[in-house]
Amino acid sequence: MDIKLQQVSYAYGKDTPFEKYALFDVDLTISHGSYQAIIGHTGSGKSTILQHFNGLLKPSTGEVHIGDRVIEAGKKAKELKPVRQKVGIVFQFPEHQLFEETVLKDIKFGPMNFGVSEEEAERRARELITLVGLPEEVLEKSPFDLSGGQMRRVAIAGVLAMQPEVIVLDEPTAGLDPRGQKEIMDMFYNLHKQQGLTTILVTHSMEDAARYADHIAIMHEGRCVLIGEPREIFADVETLAKYRLDPPRIVRFQQRVEKLIGEALPKVCLTEEELAIELAQVVKKERDQE
Amino acid sequence: MTEILSFHNVTFSYTPEDETARKAVQNVSFTVQQGEWIAIVGHNGSGKSTIAKLMNGLLYPAEGEVRVLRSALTEENLWDVRSKVGMVFQNPDNQFVGATVQDDVAFSLENNGVPYEEMVLRVKEALKQVKMDQFLNHEPHHLSGGQKQRVAIAGALAIHPQLLILDEATSMLDPQGRDEVLSTVQALREKIGLTVISITHDLEEAMLADRIIFMNDGKKYAEGTPSEIFALGEQLIEFGLDLPFAMKMTKLLQQQGVKLIGQHMTEEELVNDLWTSNFNK
């Protein structure tokens, strides 16, 4: 299912004295099965854009295509339920949305709301709880007796239980310790690969965008200013600086090393592992020349 | 040396009725001297935030003693202590009360009964210290994350605290906001010799401290200088943390057969070693 934004602008408080535009003429296509990162500072329009992906906000001008549904400015959008089932959003601090007596009930709530039978919802809950890395016993506990990291996993399971085709992640690791961050990000990446999900990651972590995404869009002051693959985006330090963004640490380190050895590596490395392999090649060449 | 804060065999449980339940903090002792920057690190649920709450009387120990400014923290001296300890919390949006930046900074002063004239001076001074004096009449909600946290620090500074506690104060910020806040804290330390305790799971932030207290499962697992703590290597990862960038890179390069002498905590050291061991023949 592709998601396409065409000339989308959005104003909060439209036609009131407080009207304020948060998005201007955004064109962005997210193709089926891709892993799209959307990067930008606070106030760049990231959160506004993400609410267009399942019709929580309707564009003030332009149109949003979600699969074969079109949400157009100025027209009433009816029957958005199927869209919301297909596009699951994991909001920031999703654990704040837990409310049921038990974890099981909480996970079942979403799918049952969409007309899934109780048996099927329970089957999904049992399957998902292990998938998000929690023991099955947790299902019988109150979500409020769990630690923050565990609560977040339960909330994520609740979104996955609706079996979305597209999953939108808004800063999914905020507040987690490094191990928790890595586990959650790896989990989404595996889901993305195994289930062929389309994944949209809204983040300010350049490192996560570099490691996981295959497409990057950069938002700045309500506009989508840069679209491309991670290697090309991060190679262009000057353009990034224009939008007050730094390339990921690993890219900055690579540039430092290249300056030192007076030689450019064959590619922009996106992870520490990649750079270690590339550098080892250069060192080996150097040794062989002696 | 003057002691600012100390924990003596402190134990705390959120479920005191259940004796078998895991204690949030178990038999923890440490001392913070004037002018020091101490980082308390640990995974989610290691007891870090409980320790923060024990420091300013949001919680009281079940066993042991917390001493702030050389007297034991009790319900009687609680308000006195709080007027000398500034705290900045994780979420910048949850700690604003004023409609403008200067109102917000003035709030704690009003609470402490500081006279108006004095208040005006202190608000300006505090905002200047965090380089936010251009924003006196701005609405806090329109600031960036880093700016919001700097205003929160100014609010803490205005009371002229003897100790500043940062409870995961940078964890929700973007990289620029994080650098802004950390360089502000560093500058304050140099200028006014402020004592700082930062509670964090960001090891790059902990590296700036004089000493690190490493928490695991409610207990103090280790205490030492950043180099002593980072020498624990794999154990940090085992307990939910990570290695600083330079150490991770060093390890990966060594695994790929690149010659490097020893472990490196900073990029500088790593780059120098990479050069001298492999290129500079």
Side-chain angles (χ1 to χ4, degrees):
Chain A
M1 200 169 74
D2 293 359
I3 295 188
K4 215 184 291 174
L5 272 65
Q6 288 177 337
Q7 292 290 302
V8 169
S9 298
Y10 183 80
Y12 286 100
K14 187 153 176 49
D15 300 327
T16 73
F18 305 104
E19 180 179 287
K20 192 171 186 280
Y21 272 87
L23 290 181
F24 303 90
D25 295 331
V26 174
D27 281 306
L28 179 65
T29 302
I30 299 162
S31 357
H32 179 81
S34 62
Y35 197 129
Q36 172 81 49
I38 299 179
I39 303 179
H41 283 292
T42 320
S44 61
K46 286 185 310 214
S47 309
T48 309
I49 213 176
L50 106 97
Q51 294 179 71
H52 282 80
F53 294 144
N54 74 349
L56 282 175
L57 292 180
K58 279 195 310 176
S60 303
T61 60
E63 48 193 61
V64 179
H65 296 248
I66 305 167
D68 45 20
R69 279 298 306 263
V70 185
I71 301 175
E72 273 175 275
K75 288 200 185 155
K76 269 230 153 79
K78 284 183 221 144
E79 271 307 300
L80 286 170
K81 224 171 163 181
V83 168
R84 297 201 172 128
Q85 181 267 315
K86 283 184 190 142
V87 182
I89 300 187
V90 178
F91 282 100
Q92 238 185 81
F93 297 98
E95 59 273 23
H96 295 169
Q97 300 168 35
L98 299 172
F99 70 102
E100 275 283 14
E101 283 163 39
T102 67
V103 168
L104 179 64
K105 281 188 187 170
D106 208 288
I107 299 176
K108 282 194 318 196
F109 179 81
M112 281 169 67
N113 223 2
F114 283 109
V116 170
S117 73
E118 182 156 12
E119 296 71 47
E120 170 62 11
E122 178 152 350
R123 190 193 63 76
R124 290 186 192 174
R126 295 202 179 278
E127 186 187 308
L128 285 168
I129 202 76
T130 25
L131 190 82
V132 297
L134 294 173
E136 227 182 299
E137 299 88 80
V138 164
L139 286 173
E140 305 311 322
K141 285 196 184 170
S142 159
F144 303 102
D145 286 342
L146 305 177
S147 74
Q150 290 174 320
M151 280 166 80
R152 180 153 321 172
R153 284 162 203 261
V154 170
I156 289 168
V159 176
L160 294 174
M162 292 183 278
Q163 301 192 328
E165 293 172 32
V166 178
I167 188 149
V168 184
L169 310 170
D170 187 5
E171 296 286 1
T173 62
L176 297 182
D177 61 35
R179 177 168 55 196
Q181 290 178 14
K182 187 168 185 304
E183 282 173 359
I184 295 272
M185 289 309 294
D186 285 348
M187 180 193 83
F188 282 123
Y189 191 68
N190 290 337
L191 274 170
H192 173 79
K193 287 276 169 216
Q194 285 160 12
Q195 310 199 358
L197 288 179
T198 306
T199 307
I200 305 174
L201 171 68
V202 177
T203 184
H204 54 231
S205 164
M206 294 289 174
E207 281 68 26
D208 284 348
R211 184 172 284 269
Y212 299 103
D214 40 45
H215 292 90
I216 291 179
I218 294 196
M219 296 292 299
H220 183 69
E221 292 173 354
R223 294 172 202 277
C224 183
V225 290
L226 213 55
I227 296 178
E229 288 176 18
R231 286 186 216 281
E232 45 188 60
I233 297 253
F234 292 137
D236 190 355
V237 181
E238 278 158 33
T239 308
L240 284 174
K242 217 165 77 191
Y243 305 119
R244 289 185 290 121
L245 294 169
D246 287 325
R249 180 138 195 198
I250 187 67
V251 174
R252 281 180 281 152
F253 182 69
Q254 176 175 345
Q255 287 161 345
R256 189 169 177 177
V257 172
E258 283 173 343
K259 220 178 199 171
L260 176 86
I261 61 177
E263 177 183 337
L265 299 182
K267 64 174 178 189
V268 178
C269 297
L270 297 176
T271 63
E272 285 89 349
E273 293 81 358
E274 231 177 57
L275 181 62
I277 292 169
E278 290 295 329
L279 264 178
Q281 295 287 337
V282 178
V283 168
K284 190 169 169 292
K285 213 169 63 193
E286 181 84 12
R287 219 181 285 151
D288 292 346
Q289 275 170 6
E290 275 168 33
Chain B
M1 274 199 294
T2 317
E3 178 190 311
I4 293 285
L5 178 137
S6 58
F7 273 45
H8 302 270
N9 306 99
V10 171
T11 295
F12 179 86
S13 167
Y14 286 100
T15 48
E17 63 284 357
D18 181 359
E19 291 205 357
T20 58
R22 196 178 69 89
K23 309 244 187 310
V25 167
Q26 209 175 338
N27 201 21
V28 169
S29 305
F30 62 88
T31 306
V32 180
Q33 304 290 349
Q34 185 165 21
E36 272 192 306
W37 179 336
I38 302 292
I40 301 180
V41 303
H43 57 85
N44 291 124
S46 62
K48 301 189 300 285
S49 294
T50 308
I51 287 183
K53 290 178 184 134
L54 287 161
M55 281 177 186
N56 75 344
L58 287 171
L59 298 173
Y60 288 96
E63 289 163 41
E65 192 178 60
V66 174
R67 297 178 71 83
V68 186
L69 306 172
R70 274 156 290 137
S71 46
L73 185 61
T74 62
E75 283 182 43
E76 284 72 47
N77 64 13
L78 174 64
W79 293 101
D80 191 37
V81 164
R82 282 195 190 157
S83 70
K84 291 176 185 132
V85 176
M87 241 175 142
V88 178
F89 297 95
Q90 181 179 36
N91 190 339
D93 290 319
N94 288 351
Q95 47 195 324
F96 280 110
V97 287
T100 65
V101 164
Q102 61 176 346
D103 283 0
D104 197 81
V105 175
F107 178 75
S108 60
L109 297 175
E110 262 180 327
N111 267 352
N112 284 302
V114 175
Y116 179 79
E117 291 73 25
E118 166 87 18
M119 212 153 77
V120 174
L121 291 175
R122 285 217 207 169
V123 168
K124 286 225 174 93
E125 175 201 49
L127 283 166
K128 208 167 176 180
Q129 283 170 331
V130 300
K131 297 205 175 73
M132 285 296 290
D133 47 334
Q134 300 298 316
F135 293 83
L136 287 179
N137 288 310
H138 280 62
E139 285 177 44
H141 295 280
H142 291 159
L143 303 175
S144 74
Q147 289 172 329
K148 283 177 188 169
Q149 289 300 63
R150 274 149 64 200
V151 172
I153 293 175
L157 287 178
I159 61 169
H160 291 171
Q162 307 235 18
L163 170 65
L164 180 67
I165 301 174
L166 306 170
D167 188 2
E168 305 212 24
T170 62
S171 73
M172 285 180 62
L173 302 181
D174 56 30
Q176 262 187 354
R178 194 179 132 246
D179 291 347
E180 274 173 34
V181 168
L182 292 179
S183 55
T184 301
V185 175
Q186 267 177 313
L188 286 171
R189 279 232 317 160
E190 278 161 28
K191 266 191 235 147
I192 58 176
L194 192 64
T195 310
V196 178
I197 299 179
S198 69
I199 290 157
T200 180
H201 46 230
D202 177 359
L203 291 186
E204 304 286 340
E205 179 178 332
M207 228 155 71
L208 301 171
D210 302 313
R211 245 176 337 127
I212 296 178
I213 292 167
F214 177 12
M215 295 293 298
N216 181 51
D217 262 342
K219 294 181 194 133
K220 186 171 87 176
Y221 181 79
E223 179 177 345
T225 61
S227 30
E228 285 163 358
I229 293 297
F230 293 133
L232 295 169
E234 294 296 312
Q235 286 177 59
L236 291 165
I237 298 175
E238 205 179 304
F239 293 143
L241 299 175
D242 203 354
L243 294 174
F245 174 80
M247 282 183 77
K248 225 182 330 185
M249 206 60 235
T250 306
K251 208 177 92 186
L252 285 166
L253 284 168
Q254 286 168 334
Q255 280 168 4
Q256 290 297 329
V258 175
K259 204 162 70 186
L260 288 171
I261 305 158
Q263 291 296 316
H264 300 296
M265 267 178 49
T266 66
E267 244 180 61
E268 193 72 41
E269 286 171 23
L270 170 56
V271 168
N272 287 341
D273 186 6
L274 187 67
W275 177 250
T276 41
S277 304
N278 296 282
F279 294 94
N280 191 19
K281 305 261 162 73

